[in-house]
Amino acid sequence: MTTRTEADTEAGERAGPPEVPRRLYADPGLPDRVFRGVARSGGGLVLAVMLLVGGFLLYRAWQALSKAGWSFLTTETWEPDAGRFGIAAVIVGTVLIALVAIMVAVPLAVGGALYISEYAPARIRQTLISVVDLMAAVPSVVYGLWGLFFFTSHVAGTARWISTYFGWIPVFSVQGADPDDPLVNATVYASSTLIAGMVVALMVAPIVCSVMREVFSQAPVGEREGAYALGATRWGMIRSVVLPFGKGGMIGGTMLGLGRALGETIGVYLVISPIFAVQWHVLQSGTSSISSLIALRYGEASEFGMSALMAAGLALFLMTLVVNFAASSIVARSRSGASSE
Amino acid sequence: MTTTPVRPKPRTVLPAGLPRPDSAEVGERRRVLVLRRASDVWALLGAAAASISITTLLFTRLLPLSGAVGFWVLAYLLFLGLYALLVSFDESGPAVRDKVAAVVVQSLGLITVVALVFVVVYAVFEGREALPHLNFYHQDMQAAGPLDPLSKGGILHAIVGTLEQITLALAFTVPAGLVCAVFLTEVPGRFARFVRTVVEAMTALPSIVAGLFIYATFILTFGFQRSGFAASLALSVMMLPIIIRASDVVIRLVPGTLREASYALGTSRWRTVWHVVLPTSRSGLTTAVILGTARGVGETSPVLLTAGFTAELNANPLEGPQVSLPLAVFEFVKSPEPTMIARGFGTAAVLMGLVLFLFILARVIGGRAPGRLTKRQEHRRVLASRRDAARFQARDHASKSSSIHGSSE
């Protein structure tokens, strides 16, 4: 190396042959080459498995999709063997359940996260963080049990109240329910989108809360103190420092929760009574979701029915994929982004 | 602060007209830093009492309203309004907003935590009838019908199934996941970026679709039976992206300086990974794996499609249906019999105990930044360092004596 450099300097002084950039090459040696090979093949193996799952899903779904065509998106019934099947009903149900869940979970999660990071006394803060993180790991079947045995029987009164006083809003109206008719029993309000949404909301709230709390707690101390020094109240500081800093993380956490809410199976399956018609009324009994459709019909499906279920699964996968990528691109562009992964 | 010791030499000389700082009437009185004043508490209590009274009046006498939820929603809104009114009597605009926002945030936080804790405590509470029976833990449901009392039958088959399935799934996912995570950070390039994108996309795969994939390939296409092995494959497909992503984040947290120090000593790449990167991120990697395990243990839908259902103990994951804890919960509560439902809640409580155990394990092992040592590890490092020092000293001594010896020769 030394000789090369000297030669180069001399060459430069003499302005002889043109300078060529030195070729940088380090021989990694045999062990390193083996290591790289192993790591690369490990990555390749995982890639192969993942692509296999995606590819197989697409391949099997294609049979059903090519037969159904665009009517796959507009048909409400699910009778694949009769040739009439589509995801219009289930996709509306899935999206409505997820929307109800997010609309309930996000205020709770923001409140919980702000409370833990800004208001809670330092003594109980660590405990609260652990509790919320633990709740995020609780199996969804536990939330389903709560929804099935506790919430369903206690929500009927509230549902009746909402539908009586807010029934003029189309989403809240319930067909077949008359508040003045004492003979109408509570079953018209059971197993509704609202109940499923609430169960999923409680399931995703700790996940969203955990992401948001992490982001809020990273708001820079200097800016917080600057706000206080300018005379801000605590809420003024939160509004002008913590919330703008955590915006990316809040959106990312919400999208993460939305992705989980779209794909949730058992919590929804336990509480709903499935119907295959577009159901806009969130308080009315009967709804459906893609994942519970799969759980319900996989056992009795023929080969073509399986392919149709695959197509439904693919549609669900694409939805969560779009949500996830949107979330990660929003998160990556924000100040608090990198930490909320 | 009033009792600042008087220093002898360099001191501030106060102008003659001002009172001395340690005199009682002006001085620096210690400021009260407590944010909660009596008037705040009274405002809170007053607003609460007034809102409940007004709502009761509205509900029972004045308006045709009814229902507990409506009562509390109206009471809460009235409470906020009255509280703002009371505070505004002696505070200015921003302070009123601050007080009201504090009340709203604290009540939302309280509702969140209470609701979540309630869901979990509810499941354990409802399982209280099944849990004290010892047979619940060492019998299966083969001989117990739906009408049998809780003193007969148990969930041993589900416990065994869960443990075997999760062990198999970990045996697939941990090596593959760790190698892939190491690949993503240590062998960077276009290929690694592509793999990372695909892995990130696969974290969006709904768990039921993972189950459907294994059901369609392993069981329908290849013609195998439903078994614990198929369930563990489905769990692996679901857990692999989660574990890779979490480990990737942890490995990226290893300080670059550590790696560079290792390279500067002339270490090869794989030795750096083996001796520097992996040991540094060990606790974080363990946490990633354990949290992935907790997700996998509680997942019902992939198991529902692939494991089949049986009421008897099947310790062989390769053959015959094998039930797991979440699936057992699901099947128990589908029955209308109260004893079966009690068993379902008991099973859910056992499952949550398992998740809690895994979570505490993750907290004990992990929760430290990369490179931060436990007390015991630090102690071991100190001992090793002392041993090294002694060894060096002995060697120095030996070489010196030998050189003296050599020079004298």
Side-chain angles (χ1 to χ4, degrees):
Chain A
M1 262 200 352
T2 338
T3 49
R4 261 305 275 286
T5 336
E6 280 167 10
D8 280 353
T9 356
E10 279 169 31
E13 279 167 4
R14 271 185 274 136
E19 285 185 42
V20 198
R22 268 172 53 204
R23 217 175 127 242
L24 291 174
Y25 178 71
D27 176 28
L30 183 65
D32 258 14
R33 254 177 272 158
V34 171
F35 162 72
R36 272 187 208 204
V38 168
R40 218 177 276 270
S41 60
L45 179 77
V46 169
L47 182 70
V49 170
M50 299 292 150
L51 289 182
L52 191 71
V53 175
F56 185 81
L57 213 56
L58 195 65
Y59 167 71
R60 286 300 304 272
W62 196 251
Q63 291 177 327
L65 283 177
S66 62
K67 190 167 177 216
W70 288 107
S71 73
F72 184 68
L73 292 178
T74 54
T75 313
E76 293 181 18
T77 50
W78 192 265
E79 289 153 9
D81 294 324
R84 285 183 296 122
F85 62 97
I87 53 169
V90 283
I91 214 162
V92 168
T94 309
V95 170
L96 275 183
I97 290 174
L99 281 184
V100 169
I102 284 300
M103 276 160 62
V104 175
V106 165
L108 285 179
V110 173
L114 276 181
Y115 175 69
I116 291 175
S117 77
E118 307 298 325
Y119 287 95
R123 272 169 298 143
I124 62 166
R125 184 171 295 162
Q126 200 52 48
T127 320
L128 285 177
I129 292 175
S130 298
V131 165
V132 170
D133 285 356
L134 176 64
M135 293 302 157
V138 165
S140 55
V141 71
V142 173
Y143 291 98
L145 285 186
W146 176 81
L148 180 61
F149 290 101
F150 180 83
F151 194 64
T152 303
S153 52
H154 285 74
V155 83
T158 315
R160 182 195 296 262
W161 188 80
I162 296 176
S163 77
T164 308
Y165 293 104
F166 296 95
W168 46 273
I169 303 172
V171 175
F172 290 134
S173 73
V174 176
Q175 286 154 353
D178 183 3
D180 299 326
D181 182 1
L183 293 179
V184 169
N185 58 10
T187 48
V188 286
Y189 302 108
S191 323
S192 64
T193 309
L194 179 79
I195 297 175
M198 290 291 288
V199 169
V200 178
L202 279 183
M203 214 194 78
V204 298
I207 301 168
V208 181
C209 181
S210 172
V211 172
M212 288 188 187
R213 197 253 324 143
E214 184 70 36
V215 175
F216 290 156
S217 67
Q218 282 170 353
V221 180
E223 289 176 32
R224 284 165 188 262
E225 286 174 356
Y228 281 136
L230 289 172
T233 56
R234 192 188 319 218
W235 175 243
M237 188 278 289
I238 292 174
R239 255 185 49 191
S240 56
V241 175
V242 177
L243 291 182
F245 177 83
K247 203 174 11 168
M250 283 169 75
I251 297 174
T254 306
M255 297 289 239
L256 188 72
L258 185 62
R260 285 291 290 277
L262 286 172
E264 172 51 29
T265 312
I266 288 300
V268 174
Y269 184 86
L270 277 175
V271 297
I272 65 169
S273 59
I275 56 161
F276 290 99
V278 173
Q279 173 70 276
W280 291 106
H281 310 298
V282 295
L283 298 176
Q284 179 105 40
S285 173
T287 181
S288 51
S289 75
I290 293 181
S291 47
S292 60
L293 164 78
I294 296 174
L296 192 69
R297 292 292 174 85
Y298 80 100
E300 63 206 35
S302 62
E303 189 163 340
F304 185 73
M306 206 62 207
S307 162
L309 285 179
M310 287 280 187
L314 185 70
L316 178 61
F317 180 35
L318 287 181
M319 273 203 308
T320 49
L321 197 63
V322 167
V323 168
N324 264 27
F325 272 122
S328 58
S329 73
I330 291 171
V331 166
R333 256 184 272 150
S334 66
R335 258 177 88 195
S336 53
S339 56
S340 63
E341 267 182 28
Chain B
M1 278 194 188
T2 46
T3 57
T4 317
V6 184
R7 290 205 191 108
K9 240 332 184 22
R11 58 178 300 185
T12 316
V13 181
L14 288 174
L18 288 177
R20 293 181 56 81
D22 46 352
S23 67
E25 67 264 28
V26 177
E28 289 184 34
R29 290 260 293 285
R30 182 175 277 240
R31 276 183 52 204
V32 181
L33 293 173
V34 181
L35 291 170
R36 185 167 299 144
R37 287 165 300 177
S39 61
D40 296 346
V41 180
W42 289 120
L44 266 179
L45 290 179
S51 79
I52 289 179
S53 317
I54 294 176
T55 321
T56 315
L57 202 61
L58 286 178
F59 265 65
T60 54
R61 294 280 179 271
L62 299 177
L63 293 176
L65 297 171
S66 64
V69 177
F71 182 89
W72 288 113
V73 169
L74 191 61
Y76 184 67
L77 294 178
L78 268 176
F79 165 73
L80 286 183
L82 287 169
Y83 182 65
L85 184 72
L86 281 180
V87 174
S88 71
F89 285 148
D90 42 26
E91 304 272 9
S92 58
V96 175
R97 279 199 291 277
D98 177 50
K99 292 261 149 82
V100 173
V103 168
V104 171
V105 166
Q106 298 199 5
S107 49
L108 275 179
L110 196 72
I111 291 172
T112 311
V113 173
V114 167
L116 293 177
V117 171
F118 175 70
V119 169
V120 170
V121 171
Y122 176 76
V124 177
F125 181 74
E126 291 287 312
R128 70 192 181 282
E129 287 169 15
L131 289 176
H133 296 279
L134 273 183
N135 57 297
F136 192 60
Y137 306 100
H138 67 80
Q139 286 182 10
D140 59 17
M141 288 299 290
Q142 190 182 8
L147 292 173
D148 279 323
L150 288 169
S151 54
K152 205 172 168 198
I155 54 162
L156 179 70
H157 56 316
I159 297 176
V160 168
T162 283
L163 292 181
E164 284 187 358
Q165 286 168 18
I166 204 69
T167 312
L168 274 175
L170 283 178
F172 299 132
T173 48
V174 169
L178 289 189
V179 168
C180 185
V182 165
F183 164 70
L184 290 182
T185 36
E186 299 298 322
V187 192
R190 207 174 299 158
F191 183 49
R193 269 206 301 282
F194 178 60
V195 174
R196 182 173 283 147
T197 315
V198 171
V199 167
E200 254 170 46
M202 290 313 275
T203 48
L205 186 78
S207 56
I208 184 105
V209 179
L212 191 67
F213 168 72
I214 295 296
Y215 181 71
T217 51
F218 193 72
I219 293 168
L220 290 187
T221 310
F222 299 152
F224 289 98
Q225 265 185 315
R226 291 192 194 182
S227 62
F229 184 70
S232 69
L233 283 182
L235 287 177
S236 306
V237 170
M238 192 211 86
M239 280 162 59
L240 194 55
I242 298 175
I243 288 185
I244 293 176
R245 200 148 173 228
S247 322
D248 182 33
V249 171
V250 171
I251 292 182
R252 264 194 282 176
L253 283 179
V254 173
T257 45
L258 276 183
R259 269 191 208 115
E260 283 161 18
S262 163
Y263 289 140
L265 290 172
T267 324
S268 62
R269 222 165 241 268
W270 78 271
R271 273 184 180 278
T272 307
V273 168
W274 190 251
H275 290 292
V276 176
V277 175
L278 289 184
T280 311
S281 51
R282 187 191 290 146
S283 73
L285 289 178
T286 320
T287 315
V289 168
I290 291 176
L291 290 182
T293 313
R295 272 289 293 284
V297 160
E299 217 35 93
T300 319
S301 35
V303 184
L304 173 71
L305 268 62
T306 49
F309 182 72
T310 175
E312 62 182 273
L313 179 65
N314 174 15
N316 181 5
L318 295 178
E319 207 172 314
Q322 189 185 42
V323 81
S324 70
L325 282 172
L327 188 56
V329 175
F330 182 69
E331 297 288 341
F332 277 138
V333 300
K334 279 205 294 194
S335 158
E337 289 299 325
T339 51
M340 290 302 257
I341 292 174
R343 284 193 185 105
F345 275 107
T347 316
V350 172
L351 177 60
M352 270 190 297
L354 187 62
V355 171
L356 181 67
F357 170 74
L358 286 173
F359 191 79
I360 291 176
L361 197 68
R363 272 289 142 102
V364 170
I365 294 176
R368 280 186 302 277
R372 194 79 61 80
L373 302 175
T374 57
K375 278 257 166 64
R376 190 177 297 172
Q377 281 172 325
E378 214 164 310
H379 184 63
R380 236 180 282 153
R381 289 280 165 97
V382 170
L383 286 187
S385 169
R386 276 193 201 140
R387 266 201 312 276
D388 283 346
R391 198 156 51 83
F392 290 159
Q393 221 166 11
R395 203 177 54 181
D396 275 1
H397 197 69
S399 69
K400 217 176 277 174
S401 66
S402 76
S403 68
I404 293 167
H405 194 64
S407 65
S408 71
E409 240 178 50

